[in-house]
Short mmCIF file of all heavy atoms in Angstrom, two decimals:
data_model
loop_
_atom_site.label_atom_id
_atom_site.label_comp_id
_atom_site.label_asym_id
_atom_site.label_seq_id
_atom_site.Cartn_x
_atom_site.Cartn_y
_atom_site.Cartn_z
N GLY A 1 1.34 -10.68 0.40
CA GLY A 1 0.75 -11.65 -0.51
C GLY A 1 -0.44 -12.37 0.05
O GLY A 1 -1.01 -13.26 -0.59
N LYS A 2 -0.85 -12.01 1.26
CA LYS A 2 -2.01 -12.66 1.87
C LYS A 2 -3.30 -12.23 1.15
O LYS A 2 -4.29 -12.95 1.13
CB LYS A 2 -2.10 -12.30 3.35
CG LYS A 2 -3.20 -13.06 4.10
CD LYS A 2 -3.14 -12.77 5.58
CE LYS A 2 -4.26 -13.51 6.33
NZ LYS A 2 -4.12 -14.96 6.21
N MET A 3 -3.26 -11.05 0.54
CA MET A 3 -4.39 -10.53 -0.23
C MET A 3 -3.86 -10.08 -1.58
O MET A 3 -2.76 -9.55 -1.67
CB MET A 3 -5.03 -9.35 0.51
CG MET A 3 -6.13 -8.63 -0.26
SD MET A 3 -7.73 -9.40 -0.11
CE MET A 3 -8.14 -8.97 1.59
N ASN A 4 -4.63 -10.33 -2.65
CA ASN A 4 -4.25 -9.80 -3.96
C ASN A 4 -5.27 -8.75 -4.39
O ASN A 4 -6.36 -8.64 -3.82
CB ASN A 4 -4.10 -10.90 -5.00
CG ASN A 4 -5.37 -11.70 -5.19
OD1 ASN A 4 -6.45 -11.14 -5.38
ND2 ASN A 4 -5.25 -13.02 -5.16
N LEU A 5 -4.91 -7.97 -5.38
CA LEU A 5 -5.77 -6.86 -5.79
C LEU A 5 -7.10 -7.34 -6.36
O LEU A 5 -8.12 -6.67 -6.20
CB LEU A 5 -5.05 -5.99 -6.81
CG LEU A 5 -4.15 -4.90 -6.24
CD1 LEU A 5 -3.40 -4.19 -7.34
CD2 LEU A 5 -4.95 -3.90 -5.42
N SER A 6 -7.10 -8.49 -7.00
CA SER A 6 -8.36 -9.01 -7.54
C SER A 6 -9.35 -9.30 -6.42
O SER A 6 -10.53 -8.96 -6.51
CB SER A 6 -8.09 -10.28 -8.35
OG SER A 6 -7.28 -10.01 -9.46
N LEU A 7 -8.86 -9.91 -5.34
CA LEU A 7 -9.73 -10.20 -4.20
C LEU A 7 -10.14 -8.92 -3.49
O LEU A 7 -11.30 -8.75 -3.10
CB LEU A 7 -9.02 -11.15 -3.22
CG LEU A 7 -9.81 -11.57 -1.98
CD1 LEU A 7 -11.13 -12.23 -2.38
CD2 LEU A 7 -8.99 -12.51 -1.11
N LEU A 8 -9.19 -7.99 -3.33
CA LEU A 8 -9.51 -6.72 -2.69
C LEU A 8 -10.58 -5.98 -3.50
O LEU A 8 -11.51 -5.40 -2.94
CB LEU A 8 -8.24 -5.87 -2.58
CG LEU A 8 -8.29 -4.69 -1.61
CD1 LEU A 8 -8.43 -5.16 -0.18
CD2 LEU A 8 -7.02 -3.85 -1.75
N ASN A 9 -10.46 -6.04 -4.81
CA ASN A 9 -11.44 -5.39 -5.67
C ASN A 9 -12.81 -6.04 -5.56
O ASN A 9 -13.84 -5.36 -5.52
CB ASN A 9 -10.95 -5.43 -7.12
CG ASN A 9 -11.81 -4.61 -8.05
OD1 ASN A 9 -12.10 -3.45 -7.77
ND2 ASN A 9 -12.25 -5.19 -9.16
N SER A 10 -12.84 -7.38 -5.49
CA SER A 10 -14.12 -8.07 -5.36
C SER A 10 -14.80 -7.77 -4.04
O SER A 10 -16.03 -7.88 -3.92
CB SER A 10 -13.91 -9.59 -5.51
OG SER A 10 -13.18 -10.12 -4.41
N ASN A 11 -14.01 -7.35 -3.03
CA ASN A 11 -14.57 -6.97 -1.73
C ASN A 11 -14.95 -5.49 -1.67
O ASN A 11 -15.38 -4.99 -0.63
CB ASN A 11 -13.58 -7.27 -0.61
CG ASN A 11 -13.41 -8.76 -0.38
OD1 ASN A 11 -14.31 -9.55 -0.67
ND2 ASN A 11 -12.26 -9.17 0.15
N GLY A 12 -14.78 -4.78 -2.79
CA GLY A 12 -15.20 -3.39 -2.85
C GLY A 12 -14.14 -2.37 -2.51
O GLY A 12 -14.44 -1.19 -2.32
N TYR A 13 -12.86 -2.80 -2.43
CA TYR A 13 -11.77 -1.90 -2.04
C TYR A 13 -10.69 -1.79 -3.11
O TYR A 13 -9.53 -1.52 -2.80
CB TYR A 13 -11.14 -2.38 -0.73
CG TYR A 13 -12.12 -2.52 0.42
CD1 TYR A 13 -12.45 -3.77 0.93
CD2 TYR A 13 -12.72 -1.40 0.98
CE1 TYR A 13 -13.35 -3.90 1.98
CE2 TYR A 13 -13.62 -1.52 2.02
CZ TYR A 13 -13.94 -2.77 2.51
OH TYR A 13 -14.83 -2.90 3.55
N GLY A 14 -11.06 -1.98 -4.35
CA GLY A 14 -10.06 -2.08 -5.42
C GLY A 14 -9.63 -0.78 -6.03
O GLY A 14 -8.88 -0.78 -7.01
N THR A 15 -10.07 0.36 -5.48
CA THR A 15 -9.66 1.67 -6.00
C THR A 15 -9.12 2.51 -4.84
O THR A 15 -9.87 2.86 -3.92
CB THR A 15 -10.84 2.40 -6.67
OG1 THR A 15 -11.31 1.62 -7.77
CG2 THR A 15 -10.42 3.77 -7.16
N ALA A 16 -7.84 2.83 -4.85
CA ALA A 16 -7.24 3.58 -3.74
C ALA A 16 -5.87 4.10 -4.13
O ALA A 16 -5.23 3.61 -5.06
CB ALA A 16 -7.12 2.70 -2.49
N ASN A 17 -5.41 5.12 -3.39
CA ASN A 17 -4.05 5.65 -3.47
C ASN A 17 -3.43 5.56 -2.08
O ASN A 17 -4.05 5.98 -1.09
CB ASN A 17 -4.03 7.11 -3.91
CG ASN A 17 -4.65 7.34 -5.26
OD1 ASN A 17 -4.75 6.43 -6.06
ND2 ASN A 17 -5.06 8.57 -5.52
N TYR A 18 -2.21 5.06 -1.99
CA TYR A 18 -1.46 5.00 -0.74
C TYR A 18 -0.16 5.77 -0.89
O TYR A 18 0.60 5.55 -1.84
CB TYR A 18 -1.09 3.56 -0.38
CG TYR A 18 -2.16 2.71 0.25
CD1 TYR A 18 -3.00 1.94 -0.53
CD2 TYR A 18 -2.31 2.66 1.64
CE1 TYR A 18 -3.97 1.12 0.04
CE2 TYR A 18 -3.27 1.85 2.23
CZ TYR A 18 -4.09 1.08 1.42
OH TYR A 18 -5.05 0.27 2.00
N ASN A 19 0.12 6.67 0.05
CA ASN A 19 1.45 7.24 0.28
C ASN A 19 1.90 6.77 1.64
O ASN A 19 1.21 7.03 2.65
CB ASN A 19 1.40 8.77 0.27
CG ASN A 19 1.37 9.36 -1.12
OD1 ASN A 19 2.40 9.53 -1.75
ND2 ASN A 19 0.17 9.67 -1.58
N LEU A 20 3.05 6.09 1.72
CA LEU A 20 3.53 5.54 2.98
C LEU A 20 4.99 5.94 3.20
O LEU A 20 5.78 5.93 2.25
CB LEU A 20 3.44 4.01 2.97
CG LEU A 20 2.06 3.40 2.74
CD1 LEU A 20 2.18 1.97 2.25
CD2 LEU A 20 1.23 3.44 4.01
N GLU A 21 5.31 6.26 4.44
CA GLU A 21 6.70 6.48 4.85
C GLU A 21 7.04 5.50 5.95
O GLU A 21 6.29 5.35 6.92
CB GLU A 21 6.93 7.91 5.35
CG GLU A 21 6.91 8.96 4.26
CD GLU A 21 7.34 10.33 4.78
OE1 GLU A 21 7.60 10.46 5.99
OE2 GLU A 21 7.42 11.26 3.96
N PHE A 22 8.19 4.84 5.82
CA PHE A 22 8.67 3.89 6.82
C PHE A 22 10.06 4.32 7.29
O PHE A 22 10.81 4.95 6.54
CB PHE A 22 8.79 2.48 6.23
CG PHE A 22 7.48 1.87 5.81
CD1 PHE A 22 7.04 1.97 4.49
CD2 PHE A 22 6.69 1.17 6.71
CE1 PHE A 22 5.85 1.40 4.09
CE2 PHE A 22 5.49 0.60 6.32
CZ PHE A 22 5.06 0.71 5.00
N GLU A 23 10.38 3.94 8.53
CA GLU A 23 11.73 4.14 9.05
C GLU A 23 12.26 2.81 9.56
O GLU A 23 11.55 2.05 10.22
CB GLU A 23 11.75 5.17 10.19
CG GLU A 23 11.71 6.60 9.72
CD GLU A 23 11.93 7.59 10.84
OE1 GLU A 23 12.16 7.14 11.99
OE2 GLU A 23 11.86 8.80 10.59
N ASN A 24 13.51 2.54 9.23
CA ASN A 24 14.20 1.35 9.71
C ASN A 24 15.56 1.79 10.20
O ASN A 24 16.50 1.92 9.42
CB ASN A 24 14.32 0.31 8.60
CG ASN A 24 14.81 -1.03 9.10
OD1 ASN A 24 14.96 -1.24 10.31
ND2 ASN A 24 15.06 -1.95 8.20
N GLY A 25 15.64 2.07 11.51
CA GLY A 25 16.86 2.66 12.03
C GLY A 25 17.01 4.06 11.49
O GLY A 25 16.13 4.90 11.63
N THR A 26 18.10 4.33 10.81
CA THR A 26 18.33 5.65 10.22
C THR A 26 17.88 5.72 8.77
O THR A 26 17.96 6.77 8.14
CB THR A 26 19.82 6.02 10.31
OG1 THR A 26 20.59 5.03 9.60
CG2 THR A 26 20.28 6.09 11.75
N SER A 27 17.42 4.60 8.24
CA SER A 27 17.01 4.55 6.85
C SER A 27 15.53 4.93 6.70
O SER A 27 14.70 4.59 7.55
CB SER A 27 17.24 3.15 6.28
OG SER A 27 16.88 3.08 4.91
N LYS A 28 15.21 5.63 5.61
CA LYS A 28 13.86 6.08 5.35
C LYS A 28 13.39 5.54 4.00
O LYS A 28 14.12 5.61 3.01
CB LYS A 28 13.80 7.60 5.36
CG LYS A 28 12.41 8.19 5.10
CD LYS A 28 12.46 9.71 5.13
CE LYS A 28 11.11 10.34 4.83
NZ LYS A 28 11.17 11.82 4.84
N MET A 29 12.19 5.01 3.96
CA MET A 29 11.62 4.44 2.76
C MET A 29 10.29 5.10 2.46
O MET A 29 9.47 5.30 3.36
CB MET A 29 11.43 2.93 2.94
CG MET A 29 10.93 2.20 1.71
SD MET A 29 10.79 0.39 2.01
CE MET A 29 12.53 -0.05 2.12
N GLU A 30 10.06 5.48 1.21
CA GLU A 30 8.80 6.07 0.79
C GLU A 30 8.21 5.22 -0.34
O GLU A 30 8.90 4.89 -1.31
CB GLU A 30 8.99 7.50 0.31
CG GLU A 30 9.49 8.44 1.39
CD GLU A 30 9.61 9.88 0.89
OE1 GLU A 30 8.92 10.22 -0.09
OE2 GLU A 30 10.38 10.64 1.50
N TYR A 31 6.93 4.89 -0.19
CA TYR A 31 6.27 4.02 -1.16
C TYR A 31 4.94 4.65 -1.56
O TYR A 31 4.21 5.17 -0.72
CB TYR A 31 6.01 2.64 -0.53
CG TYR A 31 5.28 1.68 -1.43
CD1 TYR A 31 5.96 0.92 -2.39
CD2 TYR A 31 3.90 1.50 -1.32
CE1 TYR A 31 5.28 0.03 -3.21
CE2 TYR A 31 3.22 0.61 -2.14
CZ TYR A 31 3.92 -0.12 -3.08
OH TYR A 31 3.25 -1.01 -3.90
N TYR A 32 4.67 4.61 -2.86
CA TYR A 32 3.41 5.13 -3.38
C TYR A 32 2.81 4.12 -4.35
O TYR A 32 3.52 3.54 -5.18
CB TYR A 32 3.62 6.46 -4.11
CG TYR A 32 2.37 6.96 -4.80
CD1 TYR A 32 1.37 7.59 -4.05
CD2 TYR A 32 2.18 6.80 -6.17
CE1 TYR A 32 0.21 8.04 -4.68
CE2 TYR A 32 1.02 7.25 -6.79
CZ TYR A 32 0.04 7.86 -6.04
OH TYR A 32 -1.11 8.31 -6.64
N ILE A 33 1.50 3.90 -4.23
CA ILE A 33 0.81 3.04 -5.18
C ILE A 33 -0.58 3.61 -5.43
O ILE A 33 -1.23 4.13 -4.51
CB ILE A 33 0.72 1.57 -4.68
CG1 ILE A 33 0.15 0.66 -5.79
CG2 ILE A 33 -0.11 1.46 -3.41
CD1 ILE A 33 0.27 -0.81 -5.48
N SER A 34 -1.02 3.52 -6.66
CA SER A 34 -2.37 3.94 -7.05
C SER A 34 -2.97 2.83 -7.89
O SER A 34 -2.34 2.34 -8.84
CB SER A 34 -2.31 5.24 -7.86
OG SER A 34 -3.61 5.60 -8.32
#
């Protein structure tokens, strides 16, 4: 929450796709945002 999409967009970075994989111990998390 330190940055919001409106501010990111005003800085020229408001269009992107992220695929992320995280591990927490034996647990696996996958996150996607466009």
Side-chain angles (χ1 to χ4, degrees):
K2 186 174 179 63
M3 174 83 73
N4 58 50
L5 274 175
S6 297
L7 181 57
L8 197 65
N9 188 50
S10 68
N11 290 335
Y13 303 112
T15 299
N17 300 338
Y18 280 91
N19 280 276
L20 302 159
E21 288 188 357
F22 296 94
E23 280 188 3
N24 190 6
T26 59
S27 182
K28 180 180 178 181
M29 184 178 291
E30 296 183 23
Y31 178 83
Y32 174 78
I33 188 169
S34 176

